[in-house]
Each structure stands twice: as C-alpha cells, then as structure tokens.
Amino acid sequence: MKTWAVALCLLVACTSVQAETMVWQPAAGHAPIPLWPGTPPNLQPMPGPEKVESNPKALIGGKPVTAVRNVSRPTMTVYAPQGENTGAAVVVFPGGGFELLAIDLEGTEVCEWLTAKGVTCVLLKYRVPGAPYDWHCDCRPHNLNLSMPSLQDAQRALRLVRERAAEWHVDPHKVGVLGFSAGGFLVAEVSTQFNRRTYAAVDAADKQSSRPDFALAIYPGHLATDDDRFNVNLPVSHETPPTFVLQAEDDHVDGVNQALVYYTALKNAGVPAELHIYPHGGHAFGLRPTANPITRWPALAETWMSSLGLIPAREH
C-alpha cells in the first residue's frame, strides 16, 4: 500500500506546507480526554514533538486538510448529539497511513455529520507514527501487521465509552466504530481482535468489552496481500459486528480489492455486511462532496444504520 501522504501529494510531500509545533486541540467547547491515566502502554520514541500542519495548495473538496503528526499522548474528544439523542455512539478513527492523522477531513467533519443525526461522536487521536509504518526507515517492513499501539488506543477508547455511557447518555450496546484508510484497517482490527488482551488492565474501564456493536470501514487498507489474499492477522468470525464497507474502483492508494477481500471474509463468516463499490472517487475524500457520486455515501450509511435500529429512518 502506498503511503497516504505521498499518494495525495499532501502536507510535507508538497511545497508550501504550513506547520506549527503544537498539540492539536478541538474547537472551543470541547475538551480532549486522555486515554490513559499515566504513561500509555508500549510508548515508543517519536521523531519529534506533536505538530499540526496543512497545505493550502493541496485541496480536497475545495479545502485543505489539517493533519496531526507525532502523537505520543492519545486522547479522545466527545461530541454530544444535536437534537434528539438516539443513544448510539461512534468512535471515529481518522486515516493517515499510521504516519499522521487527517484530523478534520476524516475526524471533526465526520463528527459534525454524526451529531446532526443524533449520534454521539468520539474522535480518537491515536498514536502515530506506528506499526505497520516505521518512521526510522520511512518504510513498511510488514504492511499487514497489527497496528500496535494504535490498536491498544482503539480498544481503550471503546472501553472508556462503555464505562462512561451513563454520563454521556450513550447506550453501551450501541457503540460502533468508523474509520478511513488506515483507520479502516483499525476498524477491522477492533472488529476481530476484541478477545485479545493487548495491554494490561489499568483501571475499572478495562473490564468493559472492546467489541464494537457495528462498524463502518471507508476505503480501508492493509486488508489484502499483494496477491489479493485476505490478511491472516484479522480473524473474522460470526462474532465480528455488522459492517458497512465502501471503496472506489479507481482507488490507487489501497485498491478496491481491500474492500472485496474483507467483504468476502465477512460473508463467509455469516456476518451481516453491506458493500458499496463505485467506479470513481479515488482515495481520501472523507465526507467532502465532489462531482463523484461516491461522496454521497453518508446517505447510504444513514440508511444502513437505521436498518440496525441505531438512528431513525431517513425521510424521503
């Protein structure tokens, strides 16, 4: 899989990058919550301090993308639903090739959509860079490996949402995940690795389940080998949650076979799954509307979520 940043010619891969060394903060009225009470497990050295950057000349849907690099202290930010609360919650995993996080394109903008539908959105700022990307060599020696420590952060976030469900007015049986690109791989990981203890329990929250109740994988990566076999590190079973998968045929970063092999594995395991493949759209479009019909995918996702009883049916 090509790196997300190179493939899109975004951020440091292009000229005129605007970067500032700082810790990303959500908009006013929202406070990031540390995932871990102390030092995160398996904390690894970073190539530098956390920083936020964007490239005003590299636009998606007419707007630049804000990215966060060098996240060593993961957080989650809770966005309360607007209007009537459905009780559902979605933990959002931005993409970025495990090198960085597309924090607006595949993060805050997703939360704006979900909260408008009455869903609590939990934006996860997970640790990057990390496996399967290795910043020491700027390479991917084992591109299908599990994404430790990002997987640890994702499991911890799901457990914390359930632990604080009453406080956040969330139904602990309606907690799902949604991720893009590398975040789509993280969706598949938490959907298949929930019985695996990836870190030692640190408090009562870790008694909660890390299994999502539903999952949406949007142009996911790391799911298929070069010869289009399914990644053996993802033990899909009948316990894998209902899943929505979307990808474009002309995605030349991760490739359409990423979605195809995952859907086939889900089908073979008897998991309710919905697959949407469009001829055009490329990679990393988030929710930003373009001339490509694939960018209207949120309407499909809303119909799918309503079929699961998560949100009310869309009015026509």
Side-chain angles (χ1 to χ4, degrees):
M1 185 190 77
K2 300 177 183 177
T3 65
W4 179 90
V6 172
L8 292 178
C9 194
L10 288 173
L11 308 170
V12 297
C14 297
T15 58
S16 303
V17 173
Q18 296 179 348
E20 184 176 355
T21 299
M22 60 181 290
V23 174
W24 177 82
Q25 296 289 337
H30 300 93
I33 301 169
L35 279 187
W36 307 96
T39 301
N42 194 33
L43 185 63
Q44 301 293 316
M46 291 286 162
E50 184 171 323
K51 62 182 178 182
V52 180
E53 59 190 18
S54 66
N55 185 342
K57 293 186 177 181
L59 306 180
I60 296 178
K63 298 188 292 184
V65 176
T66 299
V68 184
R69 289 186 178 272
N70 305 333
V71 177
S72 60
R73 298 291 175 173
T75 65
M76 61 183 191
T77 303
V78 179
Y79 296 80
Q82 304 170 25
E84 185 176 353
N85 184 357
T86 65
V90 174
V91 183
V92 174
F93 307 143
F98 298 110
E99 299 178 51
L100 52 83
L101 302 176
I103 202 70
D104 57 352
L105 176 72
E106 298 167 348
T108 56
E109 294 171 14
V110 183
C111 286
E112 291 173 3
W113 162 58
L114 289 170
T115 56
K117 302 302 174 182
V119 176
T120 297
C121 183
V122 181
L123 175 54
L124 179 62
K125 187 179 78 170
Y126 57 89
R127 282 174 280 174
V128 290
Y133 173 71
D134 185 349
W135 63 268
H136 299 88
C137 60
D138 189 19
C139 64
R140 300 170 184 276
H142 303 288
N143 201 40
L144 301 179
N145 278 2
L146 296 180
S147 65
M148 303 293 184
S150 305
L151 177 56
Q152 295 170 326
D153 293 343
Q155 288 184 333
R156 173 72 176 170
L158 282 158
R159 290 174 174 132
L160 282 170
V161 172
R162 290 196 167 100
E163 178 71 8
R164 302 180 68 173
E167 175 186 350
W168 294 336
H169 307 289
V170 166
D171 183 337
H173 303 294
K174 292 183 178 181
V175 179
V177 291
L178 187 159
F180 303 80
S181 192
F185 178 49
L186 200 47
V187 163
E189 290 179 279
V190 295
S191 295
T192 58
Q193 294 284 340
F194 48 84
N195 286 325
R196 177 177 178 177
R197 175 65 67 175
T198 62
Y199 62 90
V202 296
D203 56 25
D206 288 324
K207 296 179 182 178
Q208 299 285 345
S209 171
S210 68
R211 177 189 177 275
D213 294 305
F214 58 97
L216 298 92
I218 312 301
Y219 43 86
H222 304 269
L223 303 178
T225 64
D226 290 340
D227 59 354
D228 298 327
R229 297 177 184 271
F230 184 57
N231 186 345
V232 296
N233 293 316
L234 301 172
V236 171
S237 72
H238 67 280
E239 294 183 288
T240 298
T243 303
F244 176 100
V245 185
L246 176 122
Q247 204 139 15
E249 283 187 33
D250 63 355
D251 184 337
H252 301 304
V253 178
D254 284 317
V256 70
N257 286 330
Q258 305 289 329
L260 295 175
V261 299
Y262 192 40
Y263 173 78
T264 300
L266 294 167
K267 177 183 69 69
N268 290 343
V271 176
E274 184 166 308
L275 173 65
H276 295 274
I277 301 292
Y278 283 76
H280 303 293
H283 189 76
F285 41 81
L287 277 74
R288 296 181 183 178
T290 71
N292 291 315
I294 195 172
T295 59
R296 294 192 281 276
W297 69 266
L300 298 173
E302 290 169 27
T303 299
W304 178 76
M305 287 190 287
S306 68
S307 74
L308 298 178
L310 301 168
I311 62 174
R314 298 178 72 240
E315 296 183 1
H316 297 285

